[in-house]
Amino acid sequence: MNPIPTEESILILAEEHQKQELLSALFSGEGYKIKSCGSQVEALDALTRETFNLIISDFEAPRINGIELCKFIRSNFRLRQICLILIIKSQGPLNKIKSIYAGADDYITEPFEPGELLTRTKASLVRITRDLEANPLTKLPGNVLLLKELEKRVKSQSSLAVVYVDLNKFKKFNDSYGFEKGDKVIHQTASIILNALEKLGNRTDFLGHIGGDDFVFITTPDCVIEISEKIVEDFDKSIPSFYNEEDRKKGYIVTKNRVGQICNTPLLSIAIGISTNENRKFSHIGEINQVATELKNYAKTLPGSQYVKNRRR
């Protein structure tokens, strides 16, 4: 399961070892986490195991095809938000045009000035964060991009499943174990949802983090139940590890309610509300959000981790 990045991380793909060392020194000196690869096969393997904010790659080398890399990144659900800068040897315009059309965010020609590359890299990271309105904790797209994505899909009248995900008793967990541990739970939840979508969903699926312990993802009705079941299963398996041994054995933590009374709060569970357009058409994103929210709130009234799907026409 790929983790959500907690710091800016860069994958460097360059066949020449000297160039790898130069780029690694340049960016690690600025505080970035760096991974260097000498071939496209090695880079693709790294992308399956680690998570990166940006890729800097040779445009063309015996073991690197920048155009293929761009197309692969942009067509992959989990990877398509990564910034990508290509290093081009040719001064002609053709390769530059090809790079942008294939999905690169920027390019730089060799020989390059290290200061210029550093500036372009920082600008790309700022731009993608701004465009995504990313959540600062998980780096996932926030409300603005989520609403744009929903509006686009409602207008297209495509087959649609919108899923609202929320954690039960998260505030009690935060109060008892602290915000740092709570942030780790949020990271784990995001990774679980991403993993389920990647394994069981579609390349066009979308995941947004709308704040706190609330997530919304968009997929299709044919696979939404299997995805939700996977999320519930993986969450329930992993969440006990965030508690100390005593609380794990008890199956609850001792907390206070709103009036100060001592009570036993169950371990964290997950609530999922599923809204689809299988049996009814939605003309506005507000309708979808309302149905998904209602179903999520109903799931929260049920014991343990649950998902609830709309069936009304």
Side-chain angles (χ1 to χ4, degrees):
M1 186 180 296
N2 294 74
I4 301 295
T6 55
E7 58 183 316
E8 302 287 13
S9 54
I10 298 175
L11 175 64
I12 294 169
L13 175 53
E15 193 155 65
E16 297 174 9
H17 187 67
Q18 186 176 2
K19 189 189 295 184
Q20 288 183 34
E21 290 186 336
L22 169 65
L23 294 173
S24 295
L26 176 66
F27 290 106
S28 60
E30 293 292 318
Y32 295 101
K33 182 182 176 182
I34 303 299
K35 169 77 174 179
S36 295
C37 297
S39 73
Q40 193 158 317
V41 171
E42 187 182 352
L44 293 177
D45 180 62
L47 286 165
T48 65
R49 293 180 286 101
E50 302 176 51
T51 307
F52 301 93
N53 302 100
L54 183 138
I55 300 170
I56 298 175
S57 172
D58 283 338
F59 174 80
E60 193 173 32
R63 297 188 295 164
I64 299 170
N65 186 318
I67 298 299
E68 282 186 3
L69 178 66
C70 284
K71 290 179 178 178
F72 175 79
I73 296 294
R74 295 301 173 231
S75 66
N76 186 285
F77 158 72
R78 185 177 59 83
L79 306 176
R80 62 175 177 243
Q81 308 295 352
I82 299 176
C83 294
L84 210 155
I85 298 175
L86 294 181
I87 301 173
I88 300 175
K89 293 181 179 179
S90 169
Q91 296 295 322
L94 186 58
N95 287 342
K96 298 173 184 178
I97 294 170
K98 285 181 178 178
S99 299
I100 298 302
Y101 271 94
D105 294 282
D106 202 353
Y107 59 81
I108 192 165
T109 54
E110 290 188 292
F112 56 83
E113 172 63 37
E116 181 187 359
L117 178 57
L118 192 59
T119 300
R120 284 174 177 261
T121 298
K122 289 181 177 180
S124 291
L125 288 169
V126 168
R127 186 169 59 248
I128 196 70
T129 301
R130 182 196 64 216
D131 292 346
L132 289 175
E133 292 289 337
N135 183 281
L137 178 61
T138 60
K139 305 298 190 293
L140 290 171
N143 286 322
V144 173
L145 198 60
L146 171 63
L147 292 174
K148 287 181 180 178
E149 189 72 22
L150 279 171
E151 190 170 354
K152 181 178 71 175
R153 300 202 188 199
V154 168
K155 285 181 178 178
S156 71
Q157 294 293 309
S158 57
S159 184
L160 185 67
V162 179
V163 186
Y164 196 151
V165 181
D166 189 13
L167 302 186
N168 299 321
K169 311 299 182 184
F170 181 70
K171 185 180 183 305
K172 296 290 188 183
F173 177 87
N174 251 355
D175 291 343
S176 181
Y177 277 84
F179 289 104
E180 185 177 351
K181 201 70 173 284
D183 285 350
K184 290 180 180 179
V185 169
I186 297 298
H187 273 275
Q188 176 72 358
T189 304
S191 294
I192 286 170
I193 300 171
L194 277 170
N195 184 59
L197 288 170
E198 186 180 12
K199 287 186 174 181
L200 304 170
N202 315 283
R203 286 186 172 182
T204 56
D205 288 349
F206 179 93
L207 172 61
H209 183 184
I210 59 177
D213 56 321
D214 296 278
F215 297 86
V216 172
F217 67 85
I218 305 170
T219 185
T220 51
D222 60 307
C223 57
V224 70
I225 294 299
E226 197 173 3
I227 291 169
S228 299
E229 288 175 346
K230 176 69 172 170
I231 292 170
V232 167
E233 179 185 0
D234 289 350
F235 185 87
D236 286 348
K237 280 182 180 177
S238 65
I239 210 62
S241 65
F242 291 90
Y243 291 84
N244 61 42
E245 186 176 357
E246 181 183 354
D247 289 341
R248 270 200 307 273
K249 287 181 178 178
K250 290 188 301 185
Y252 62 85
I253 57 176
V254 178
T255 61
K256 290 184 179 181
N257 60 21
R258 292 179 180 178
V259 295
Q261 296 173 324
I262 299 297
C263 57
N264 297 334
T265 299
L267 302 189
L268 288 165
S269 55
I270 199 163
I272 301 174
I274 305 168
S275 175
T276 77
N277 60 359
E278 291 172 291
N279 300 320
R280 60 184 291 184
K281 287 188 177 182
F282 294 107
S283 59
H284 191 270
I285 59 176
E287 296 177 75
I288 305 174
N289 289 335
Q290 181 179 354
V291 172
T293 302
E294 288 174 355
L295 293 167
K296 181 266 299 183
N297 288 338
Y298 176 62
K300 289 178 77 70
T301 67
L302 304 174
S305 295
Q306 301 283 350
Y307 64 88
V308 179
K309 181 183 176 185
N310 70 311
R311 302 188 185 277
R312 291 178 293 177
R313 295 184 181 275

